[in-house]
């Protein structure tokens, strides 16, 4: 890619034109786009006092609400409910509680009424008792056929085109791009490479317990019930430290679940950029922040100006939202 | 590097000589060297039926006893004892047990006599109560001055030159090289990049509990007491799955603590190579296997032939052991 850009630059120079293609065509020409371009130029120009070597160009992205949508509820939860319905078809005896019955019926409100314990029960039943490989095949298969209840789109097309462009732009500029998701690491890995160009080793997420075992002579990683790590809030900087061992120079999120990683990363020495995607676009996507049941954003909005974090106003700053038109 | 090799190949072609430099000069011309070269050629040659795309060329290495020495005891333990002695100098009240007193005095035998509980106590006291950054600075400082009790060498020079060459060779061939250590992730990261060319994000290890907190307005990752993950035995495939999400095609270890990851990786489809470093060299290093208190190797030796794993006989197969002569 670098070589391709070099060739392109050479061709442009020969033609007498200094123009390069716009790396962020789906962003309007408002402040956030200019700030992103300025930041990337400042850390990649060897003559800049802000220059950062490629090895330290670490950029991390929250997933739900930052790279793809999260309404009416996290897509992983919709998957979990459908999976329970599927499992119950062959074995109805698994529906041992009202929560699980509601999930199997696709009754979102009833399924969620039991709070965190209900959520954990649904995740445990839908995400354990199989190998990591089987689970990821199952998720990929679901993504092939499932449609979003409001837009009717396949979930893979409910990513944000401007963010896909930002990921590509950063990688072209020798950044390493990571996902740091409150969602499940194996769930996100099932589509991150295909959809975002982010390989499994660059996905950090919440994790259920796993176990190595040889089953019928086949060495296998099994997904068990129970949580091993919650990659949310203060867990996000911890997950980044464990997984990457470097402090990112660019962090993008959309909720107060990302506050700690924004705070930690942007407190580092040298040039740093914190980005918050603000859902302001009820016409093309959704509008929500302080009082939302998912992606609640209050402290981030309050403190972003003083901390110098970029707040991206989806309605104003994005020319288009969805990919593939 | 690829570009440099291309230039070199070009220069060789012009000179009429097809010879390339030997990538493994510290290996004798015995079977293991040939097997390593053959394996790498088979997975990197696009015309080979065993060809593996660069994204899947994942190679993982145990650290203690595989990349550097581990006698008379894991070097991290020697660090821990010295650190307790150092801490006790400014505050003797920390020596609340016979184990800690023995550690502070450098009495290895007495310090280890309390078994696993003693080990955990020593690690807890020496590895917690400070930030990750402070801890890694402390380890790096220790490595600058400490000398091995038997050889008198700095620990950074107790790595194995043939393994350093193997790491470089694999990276030149577009492998991604990882450490998967039973030792502490933060400890190993303090020197892995400088010593092995392996960056922090490619180090997987055992981990103490960590916590994000803002201390005196400074966002910090703190090391707490207690264990979060044990990257040994069945933990190694689990750690690889969590961290990389791909099954390695080359695995190197030296003890039965590596058996599970060898078994899992080499059971994958396509070309796979399992490597066991067998410590047979009492003259230049140490000779130990079945009955050793560190690096015990029994099942691996017994099953390597049937499983097709390469057993490297240090005395026979390595021309030199230590780097820098
Ligand atoms: Ca989010
Ligand atoms: Ca070992």
């Amino acid at each position: 890619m670098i070589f391709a850009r070099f060739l392109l630059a050479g061709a442009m120079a020969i033609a007498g034109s200094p123009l390069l293609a716009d790396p962020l065509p789906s962003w309007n020409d408002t402040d956030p786009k200019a700030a992103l371009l300025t930041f990337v130029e400042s850390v990649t120009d060897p003559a800049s006092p802000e220059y950062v070597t490629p090895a330290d160009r670490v950029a991390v992205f929250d997933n739900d609400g930052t790279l793809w949508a999260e309404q009416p509820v996290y897509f992983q939860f919709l998957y979990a409910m459908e999976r329970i319905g599927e499992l119950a078809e062959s074995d109805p005896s698994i529906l041992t509680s009202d929560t699980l019955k509601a999930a199997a019926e696709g009754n979102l409100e009833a399924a969620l009424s039991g709070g965190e314990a209900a959520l954990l029960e649904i995740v445990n039943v839908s995400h354990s008792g199989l190998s990591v490989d089987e689970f990821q095949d199952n998720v990929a298969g679901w993504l092939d056929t499932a449609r979003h209840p409001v837009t009717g789109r396949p979930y893979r097309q409910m990513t944000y085109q401007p963010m896909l462009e930002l990921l590509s732009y950063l990688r072209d500029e020798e950044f390493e791009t990571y996902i740091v998701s409150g969602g499940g690491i194996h769930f996100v890995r099932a589509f991150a490479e295909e959809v975002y160009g982010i390989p499994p080793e660059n996905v950090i997420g919440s994790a259920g317990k796993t176990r190595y075992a040889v089953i019928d002579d086949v060495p296998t990683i099994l997904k068990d019930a129970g949580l091993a790590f919650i990659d949310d809030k203060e867990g996000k900087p911890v997950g980044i430290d464990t997984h990457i061992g470097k402090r990112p120079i660019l962090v993008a999120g959309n909720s107060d679940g990302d506050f700690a990683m924004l705070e930690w990363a942007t407190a580092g020495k040298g040039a740093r950029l914190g980005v918050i995607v603000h859902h302001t676009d009820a016409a093309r996507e959704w509008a929500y922040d302080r009082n939302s049941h998912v992606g609640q954003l209050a402290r981030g909005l309050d403190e972003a100006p003083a901390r110098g974090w970029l707040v991206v106003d989806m309605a104003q700053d994005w020319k288009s939202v969805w990919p593939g038109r």
Side-chain angles (χ1 to χ4, degrees), chain A residues 301-309:
Chain A
L301 274 186
D302 293 338
E303 299 192 17
R307 291 177 180 270
W309 297 345

PDB file of all heavy atoms in Angstrom, chain A residues 301-309:
ATOM      1  N   LEU A 301     -19.244  13.761  27.055  1.00  0.00           N
ATOM      2  CA  LEU A 301     -19.721  15.007  26.427  1.00  0.00           C
ATOM      3  C   LEU A 301     -19.337  16.214  27.281  1.00  0.00           C
ATOM      4  O   LEU A 301     -18.901  17.240  26.759  1.00  0.00           O
ATOM      5  CB  LEU A 301     -21.249  14.983  26.286  1.00  0.00           C
ATOM      6  CG  LEU A 301     -21.862  14.324  25.062  1.00  0.00           C
ATOM      7  CD1 LEU A 301     -23.371  14.542  25.072  1.00  0.00           C
ATOM      8  CD2 LEU A 301     -21.241  14.865  23.761  1.00  0.00           C
ATOM      9  N   ASP A 302     -19.513  16.077  28.599  1.00  0.00           N
ATOM     10  CA  ASP A 302     -19.223  17.196  29.499  1.00  0.00           C
ATOM     11  C   ASP A 302     -17.742  17.575  29.475  1.00  0.00           C
ATOM     12  O   ASP A 302     -17.399  18.746  29.514  1.00  0.00           O
ATOM     13  CB  ASP A 302     -19.609  16.832  30.946  1.00  0.00           C
ATOM     14  CG  ASP A 302     -21.114  16.664  31.109  1.00  0.00           C
ATOM     15  OD1 ASP A 302     -21.865  17.217  30.274  1.00  0.00           O
ATOM     16  OD2 ASP A 302     -21.536  15.981  32.069  1.00  0.00           O
ATOM     17  N   GLU A 303     -16.888  16.577  29.443  1.00  0.00           N
ATOM     18  CA  GLU A 303     -15.456  16.847  29.629  1.00  0.00           C
ATOM     19  C   GLU A 303     -14.655  16.924  28.331  1.00  0.00           C
ATOM     20  O   GLU A 303     -13.489  17.312  28.347  1.00  0.00           O
ATOM     21  CB  GLU A 303     -14.852  15.795  30.569  1.00  0.00           C
ATOM     22  CG  GLU A 303     -15.507  15.820  31.952  1.00  0.00           C
ATOM     23  CD  GLU A 303     -14.755  15.003  32.997  1.00  0.00           C
ATOM     24  OE1 GLU A 303     -13.573  14.676  32.784  1.00  0.00           O
ATOM     25  OE2 GLU A 303     -15.381  14.686  34.028  1.00  0.00           O
ATOM     26  N   ALA A 304     -15.271  16.529  27.216  1.00  0.00           N
ATOM     27  CA  ALA A 304     -14.524  16.504  25.951  1.00  0.00           C
ATOM     28  C   ALA A 304     -13.871  17.857  25.621  1.00  0.00           C
ATOM     29  O   ALA A 304     -12.689  17.889  25.260  1.00  0.00           O
ATOM     30  CB  ALA A 304     -15.423  16.042  24.805  1.00  0.00           C
ATOM     31  N   PRO A 305     -14.599  18.981  25.746  1.00  0.00           N
ATOM     32  CA  PRO A 305     -13.967  20.242  25.352  1.00  0.00           C
ATOM     33  C   PRO A 305     -12.706  20.541  26.166  1.00  0.00           C
ATOM     34  O   PRO A 305     -11.651  20.849  25.599  1.00  0.00           O
ATOM     35  CB  PRO A 305     -15.065  21.285  25.621  1.00  0.00           C
ATOM     36  CG  PRO A 305     -16.354  20.521  25.603  1.00  0.00           C
ATOM     37  CD  PRO A 305     -16.021  19.157  26.135  1.00  0.00           C
ATOM     38  N   ALA A 306     -12.796  20.399  27.487  1.00  0.00           N
ATOM     39  CA  ALA A 306     -11.639  20.718  28.330  1.00  0.00           C
ATOM     40  C   ALA A 306     -10.489  19.754  28.089  1.00  0.00           C
ATOM     41  O   ALA A 306      -9.313  20.118  28.225  1.00  0.00           O
ATOM     42  CB  ALA A 306     -12.049  20.686  29.803  1.00  0.00           C
ATOM     43  N   ARG A 307     -10.808  18.522  27.729  1.00  0.00           N
ATOM     44  CA  ARG A 307      -9.761  17.518  27.505  1.00  0.00           C
ATOM     45  C   ARG A 307      -9.244  17.518  26.071  1.00  0.00           C
ATOM     46  O   ARG A 307      -8.335  16.769  25.737  1.00  0.00           O
ATOM     47  CB  ARG A 307     -10.297  16.117  27.862  1.00  0.00           C
ATOM     48  CG  ARG A 307     -10.542  15.927  29.365  1.00  0.00           C
ATOM     49  CD  ARG A 307     -11.128  14.558  29.664  1.00  0.00           C
ATOM     50  NE  ARG A 307     -11.375  14.351  31.084  1.00  0.00           N
ATOM     51  CZ  ARG A 307     -10.483  13.826  31.942  1.00  0.00           C
ATOM     52  NH1 ARG A 307      -9.301  13.460  31.519  1.00  0.00           N
ATOM     53  NH2 ARG A 307     -10.797  13.669  33.216  1.00  0.00           N
ATOM     54  N   GLY A 308      -9.860  18.339  25.234  1.00  0.00           N
ATOM     55  CA  GLY A 308      -9.394  18.415  23.849  1.00  0.00           C
ATOM     56  C   GLY A 308      -9.800  17.225  23.004  1.00  0.00           C
ATOM     57  O   GLY A 308      -9.186  16.941  21.973  1.00  0.00           O
ATOM     58  N   TRP A 309     -10.829  16.492  23.432  1.00  0.00           N
ATOM     59  CA  TRP A 309     -11.292  15.352  22.642  1.00  0.00           C
ATOM     60  C   TRP A 309     -12.215  15.843  21.536  1.00  0.00           C
ATOM     61  O   TRP A 309     -13.010  16.777  21.715  1.00  0.00           O
ATOM     62  CB  TRP A 309     -12.043  14.343  23.517  1.00  0.00           C
ATOM     63  CG  TRP A 309     -11.190  13.728  24.588  1.00  0.00           C
ATOM     64  CD1 TRP A 309      -9.825  13.739  24.674  1.00  0.00           C
ATOM     65  CD2 TRP A 309     -11.661  13.028  25.758  1.00  0.00           C
ATOM     66  NE1 TRP A 309      -9.412  13.082  25.803  1.00  0.00           N
ATOM     67  CE2 TRP A 309     -10.509  12.624  26.499  1.00  0.00           C
ATOM     68  CE3 TRP A 309     -12.922  12.679  26.247  1.00  0.00           C
ATOM     69  CZ2 TRP A 309     -10.590  11.913  27.696  1.00  0.00           C
ATOM     70  CZ3 TRP A 309     -13.002  11.955  27.440  1.00  0.00           C
ATOM     71  CH2 TRP A 309     -11.851  11.578  28.146  1.00  0.00           C
TER      72      TRP A 309
END
